[in-house]
Amino acid sequence: MEVTDKPREAHDGTGHRARLRQRLLDGGDGALADHEMIEYLLMTAIPRRDMKPLSKSLLNRFGSLAGVFNADAQALANHPGMGETSAAAIKIVTLAARRLARTGVQEQPVLGSWQTLIDYLTIDMAHLTHERVRILYLDVRNRLILDHLLTDGSIDEAAIHPREVVKKALDLGASALILVHNHPSGSPEPSRADIQVTNRIAEAGRLLGIVVHDHVIIGKEGHVSLKAKGLI
């Protein structure tokens, strides 16, 4: 009878982890399946344990890779087999992705790098379960001065005052702005309130020399530009 001082699971797991690592290093974006990406990440937080069942259970519960990474930290920590260390390992990846996306937006003119902006906004807002309204204030070269969280809640005149939006632009020395908000329902199609508020802000801006470049609505199903739809 073979005698070993290592648990069989740990011994077998070593080879599996090495194979995953090699595929990750040698392959491209498709080197690992979604559950394998979570599995490999959790391996760094929980050594010497099979992470495949846990990674699959996370995907089943939260619905997708994006769902796992955007899940509430406490919900992750309380998931069977997880804990604060494992939840932190997942959330640090989410934080890094958002920071990288934001850096891309800050380093170049927004209008000349539109897809970079959409990627940043999607990463940051598509997963939200409540509406959030933001104003991106831009300088004369269309570089980002401030990404301002205006309100958490529906986009209507009760929450958004056009004069205050434009006044902040003047205070910042901004010459233009882009409105952004998300639709938790998933569909990014604009409502009547979305269109009305946008045009009132655009009119207030015109009176004081502030250009409203666009209003972008983010949803899980994609995004909509009110300017592209001819609604501004």
Side-chain angles (χ1 to χ4, degrees):
M1 181 176 178
E2 181 182 1
V3 177
T4 175
D5 57 358
K6 291 185 178 180
R8 181 174 178 80
E9 182 183 28
H11 177 75
D12 292 344
T14 301
H16 176 61
R17 293 174 187 220
R19 288 190 294 273
L20 279 183
R21 180 174 63 247
Q22 203 58 49
R23 283 168 52 200
L24 174 64
L25 295 175
D26 294 344
D29 291 346
L32 300 180
D34 287 356
H35 77 273
E36 290 174 325
M37 293 174 64
I38 298 171
E39 179 184 0
Y40 192 84
L41 180 60
L42 292 176
M43 287 174 181
T44 64
I46 310 175
R48 296 181 298 281
R49 191 176 123 197
D50 182 9
M51 292 291 100
K52 185 183 290 185
L54 179 55
S55 65
K56 289 187 174 182
S57 73
L58 287 168
L59 282 172
N60 287 335
R61 176 177 176 182
F62 296 107
S64 65
L65 188 65
V68 173
F69 283 109
N70 287 314
D72 177 74
Q74 198 59 51
L76 287 170
N78 291 338
H79 184 81
M82 290 285 286
E84 289 189 348
T85 300
S86 302
I90 288 176
K91 297 311 291 183
I92 193 65
V93 173
T94 309
L95 177 61
R98 288 177 184 164
R99 192 160 296 179
L100 283 169
R102 185 174 64 200
T103 299
V105 171
Q106 292 172 327
E107 289 180 345
Q108 50 196 328
V110 169
L111 298 186
S113 51
W114 193 250
Q115 190 56 52
T116 301
L117 174 65
I118 296 302
D119 290 344
Y120 164 55
L121 296 174
T122 300
I123 289 171
D124 205 44
M125 298 182 77
H127 66 284
L128 294 175
T129 56
H130 60 278
E131 265 190 75
R132 173 168 290 173
V133 183
R134 292 155 64 174
I135 310 291
L136 308 182
Y137 290 101
L138 311 177
D139 65 15
V140 292
R141 299 174 61 193
N142 289 317
R143 291 182 180 270
L144 185 65
I145 296 175
L146 178 67
D147 179 353
H148 176 60
L149 172 60
L150 187 62
T151 182
D152 278 325
S154 61
I155 182 165
D156 56 41
E157 287 197 271
I160 299 177
H161 302 285
R163 289 182 181 177
E164 291 182 7
V165 171
V166 173
K167 181 179 182 300
K168 189 165 188 69
L170 295 172
D171 291 343
L172 291 169
S175 62
L177 61 87
I178 298 172
L179 290 112
V180 183
H181 86 285
N182 65 301
H183 281 178
S185 65
S187 172
E189 288 302 315
S191 67
R192 180 176 295 181
D194 296 337
I195 297 167
Q196 289 175 342
V197 169
T198 303
N199 285 318
R200 284 176 178 144
I201 292 174
E203 179 58 30
R206 273 191 290 271
L207 295 174
L208 295 170
I210 304 297
V211 178
V212 176
H213 282 314
D214 208 339
H215 181 169
V216 179
I217 303 174
I218 301 292
K220 292 179 182 177
E221 298 172 10
H223 75 280
V224 163
S225 157
L226 267 66
K227 183 175 183 179
K229 280 183 166 287
L231 297 173
I232 297 180

